[in-house]
Amino acid sequence: MGTRKTAVFSETENELADLAKALGHPARVAILKELANRNVCVCGEIVDTLPLAQSTVSQHLKELKAAGLISGTVEGVKSCYCINWTAMERLKNLLEDCFKPCSDQNCAC
Amino acid sequence: MGTRKTAVFSETENELADLAKALGHPARVAILKELANRNVCVCGEIVDTLPLAQSTVSQHLKELKAAGLISGTVEGVKSCYCINWTAMERLKNLLEDCFKPCSDQNCAC
DNA sequence: AATATTCATCGTATTTTTGCGATGAATTTA
DNA sequence: TAAATTCATCGCAAAAATACGATGAATATT
């Protein structure tokens, strides 16, 4: 119990769910927004823009990276992150492809 | 601790995060897919398509409804659900609007 | 060399999520 | 009226997520 039964769902369902889950926190949305706005890859400045502890932000960055939504490189003593636009596009495409409305829509709800 | 600090983020960030979180589980993705494929609003047949207990599916439906991604009506002894295409569109738009790449992309990551 | 900065990781506490069986209400069917 | 069906909710257990401070490693600065 308490464990997600991922093995039981399709590849695509899990992929979309994982990407969505990574986006499913306002802090991570804010981080991605920040990364999208700066052309230069930002590092710890992200921490300054968020009302969260450094360790917490670091954890969120780790999650985004694990989901493939961002990439990061070490620049001396600093860590530099930026958005993975390919993954963002992938998310949009999955969203588009998975939920196509069928031809005749006569829902009563 | 353990509580999401929603009050600290912007309306838009929270809205997108909430929609994404609702989508952040393969079972809920599967449910939405099923609802998208059937023009007739489906009810408990969803349970048959998923390898989860009825109570678990019911809970996922509740979450999707709370997020506004689906709507449900009671049809006698049955419950009828269908996708809220407006919310799906809203999710896509938020995704599009929040993460616009800035003009000059020279990321080194 | 000593100090400072940056940041990932660890440990911990709390809350939320996930999942299931049991129960019960509402409606159908027999 | 009695039995069956549908399904939401409750209660519980286990796991994951959220958040923070402390620590330490790596690099910069003085």
Side-chain angles (χ1 to χ4, degrees), chain A residues 9-50:
Chain A
F9 298 99
S10 80
E11 192 102 15
T12 314
E13 282 159 0
N14 279 311
E15 190 187 358
L16 176 49
D18 286 346
L19 286 172
K21 194 174 71 145
L23 219 76
H25 192 290
R28 292 194 289 269
V29 171
I31 289 173
L32 285 171
K33 252 168 79 178
E34 194 65 24
L35 290 180
N37 278 333
R38 308 203 185 197
N39 54 344
V40 182
C41 305
V42 188
C43 51
E45 295 150 310
I46 299 165
V47 175
D48 295 332
T49 70
L50 294 175

Side-chain angles (χ1 to χ4, degrees), chain B residues 55-74:
Chain B
S55 57
T56 306
V57 175
S58 206
Q59 212 171 325
H60 283 305
L61 286 166
K62 193 179 172 185
E63 262 176 88
L64 285 170
K65 200 174 176 184
L69 285 169
I70 65 172
S71 57
T73 50
V74 179

